[in-house]
Amino acid sequence: MAGRFTKDEMMQMDPTFLRMHLRERVHHTIEHQLYSIIHQGRRPGPAFGGVVREIFDVWQARGLPTDLPDIKWMRTLMELAERVKRGEQIEAVPGGYLPEPLNPQDMQAWEKLLLGRRSYRHWDDRPVPSWMVEKILEAGMWAASGCNLQIWRFIVIEDPEVLRKFANLEFEVEKVKIVCCVDTRGYDQVQYPPPKKNQLLDVGAALQNMALMAHAQGLGGCWSTFSQQQIDGIHRHFQLPGYIEVVTYLSLGWAAEKVLPPQRMSYSEAILAWVGKADGNCAGGKDRPGDAMMVR
Ligand SMILES: Cc1cc2nc3c(=O)[nH]c(=O)nc-3n(C[C@H](O)[C@H](O)[C@H](O)COP(=O)(O)O)c2cc1C
């Protein structure tokens, strides 16, 4: 029994779900604990890493690929888990990341990207090269995802006829449409399933990453909404299986309009509470140093 499944069950399991099961078990039974063991001196239990090892053995026994990026990462974590279990001291995780502040120039570029992204709804005739679309998709996949389940799936539409078929009547037909979907297979069967709404959050995070990457490449995009009729139409057109849920989309092209940034409310208006403020600075000017803001 590895997690909630027997070896026989895992031998028969859909490989996509087996891979999800593996990622979820790595996340909950190795990743969290490993960093506390390395950095906070917690001691690994005798079974540490065992469940993942059993699932991974099945993965290998089935001849499933072991050089996929997420599988390689899981193998690295499994090796680290073995090392700490043997009592080895690991000073620093090889290849590990620590957040570093950007230098002023990079910060300027970052703010230009983040604050300069806008929604564009008119495009010129230039096509969008595929390598740009690929970069955008890759950026989407680097978003956070609940329990690292990575359930987002995409459909890229560049065919003008299909684009017209699923056009947003509020704006011009785009050059590229990235339809964002969820692969719901097995989502509620992993050991600690995240709440269902995380599926939408995962897709939203991926879409925002993609919009930013499009903007960084000088493209204009708009996050947009399907009607239920369009969602059904996409399902039929692409003959999607029932476990794929169509959620939302990103329209892309070379923007042929200048838009004014829709101004945001002040962030201090959006804060419902800020308790135990660490440094007492109050840039918004709404609270006094040390005050807890009351829920409004
Ligand atoms: C979930 C979501 C759905 C959206 N749907 C549409 C849409 O159907 N049509 C549209 O023109 N814009 C749509 N937008 C874009 C918003 O109108 C736009 O982000 C907002 O007005 C702020 O403008 P900005 O993106 O330029 O900052 C959507 C944005 C989000 C996040």
Side-chain angles (χ1 to χ4, degrees):
M1 202 79 178
R4 59 187 295 187
F5 301 105
T6 63
K7 187 174 170 199
D8 283 348
E9 282 169 335
M10 290 191 293
M11 287 302 284
Q12 306 300 323
M13 199 178 262
D14 175 309
T16 305
F17 179 54
L18 184 59
R19 192 168 165 191
M20 262 169 83
H21 178 43
L22 197 47
R23 274 203 303 270
E24 186 272 338
R25 287 292 74 201
V26 168
H27 176 68
H28 283 127
T29 69
I30 296 188
E31 200 183 14
H32 288 216
Q33 295 86 332
L34 181 70
Y35 298 124
S36 317
I37 292 164
I38 294 175
H39 299 290
Q40 273 121 37
R42 262 187 59 184
R43 296 176 70 83
F48 184 50
V51 167
V52 171
R53 169 58 61 192
E54 280 180 55
I55 306 171
F56 186 69
D57 286 348
V58 171
W59 183 269
Q60 276 185 307
R62 290 182 59 176
L64 293 166
T66 51
D67 58 348
L68 300 166
D70 55 329
I71 301 286
K72 276 171 48 183
W73 166 80
M74 290 189 256
R75 284 165 59 197
T76 306
L77 286 191
M78 282 161 62
E79 280 160 27
L80 286 168
E82 285 301 319
R83 285 172 59 190
V84 295
K85 226 166 83 172
R86 286 197 300 266
E88 227 181 280
Q89 288 290 324
I90 297 173
E91 293 306 323
V93 176
Y97 281 50
L98 196 64
E100 281 175 38
L102 297 178
N103 64 41
Q105 204 182 350
D106 288 349
M107 182 60 91
Q108 244 182 355
W110 169 243
E111 287 187 349
K112 186 173 166 186
L113 174 70
L114 192 65
L115 308 180
R117 181 213 56 79
R118 292 277 70 78
S119 295
Y120 295 96
R121 300 173 179 90
H122 298 93
W123 295 275
D124 68 23
D125 287 336
R126 283 176 293 163
V128 178
S130 299
W131 65 265
M132 284 191 167
V133 178
E134 283 163 17
K135 242 176 125 57
I136 290 167
L137 291 168
E138 199 179 12
M141 307 280 291
W142 276 99
S145 72
C147 300
N148 191 23
L149 289 179
Q150 305 184 26
I151 39 73
W152 43 57
R153 300 290 182 268
F154 307 105
I155 297 169
V156 181
I157 308 178
E158 296 189 62
D159 180 318
E161 208 178 304
V162 184
L163 286 169
R164 270 196 300 278
K165 187 168 174 178
F166 299 110
N168 185 328
L169 300 179
E170 285 179 331
F171 56 79
E172 202 177 318
V173 177
E174 62 282 76
K175 291 289 168 286
V176 182
K177 197 183 202 81
I178 300 183
V179 179
C180 302
C181 310
V182 169
D183 185 335
T184 62
R185 244 178 316 174
Y187 195 80
D188 53 1
Q189 284 164 44
V190 294
Q191 191 118 359
Y192 293 124
K196 191 169 161 37
K197 70 178 175 199
N198 278 17
Q199 295 180 345
L200 300 182
L201 300 173
D202 293 350
V203 167
L207 198 148
Q208 178 71 4
N209 267 17
M210 294 197 287
L212 288 172
M213 180 54 86
H215 179 61
Q217 297 182 104
L219 292 166
C222 187
W223 181 333
S224 199
T225 314
F226 281 127
S227 63
Q228 188 55 48
Q229 204 182 5
Q230 285 175 316
I231 288 178
D232 297 341
I234 294 267
H235 250 277
R236 274 194 303 276
H237 187 91
F238 292 97
Q239 298 181 352
L240 299 176
Y243 55 77
I244 297 291
E245 272 180 26
V246 175
V247 180
T248 189
Y249 65 95
L250 177 64
S251 296
L252 294 169
W254 297 97
E257 60 182 348
K258 285 187 176 177
V259 300
L260 285 175
Q263 290 302 303
R264 294 341 193 217
M265 298 152 53
S266 139
Y267 76 84
S268 58
E269 293 175 271
I271 297 172
L272 294 179
W274 185 337
V275 295
K277 203 170 192 180
D279 61 7
N281 289 332
C282 41
K286 288 255 170 188
D287 53 350
R288 294 190 308 267
D291 269 4
M293 274 182 82
M294 301 309 292
V295 173
R296 282 180 273 185

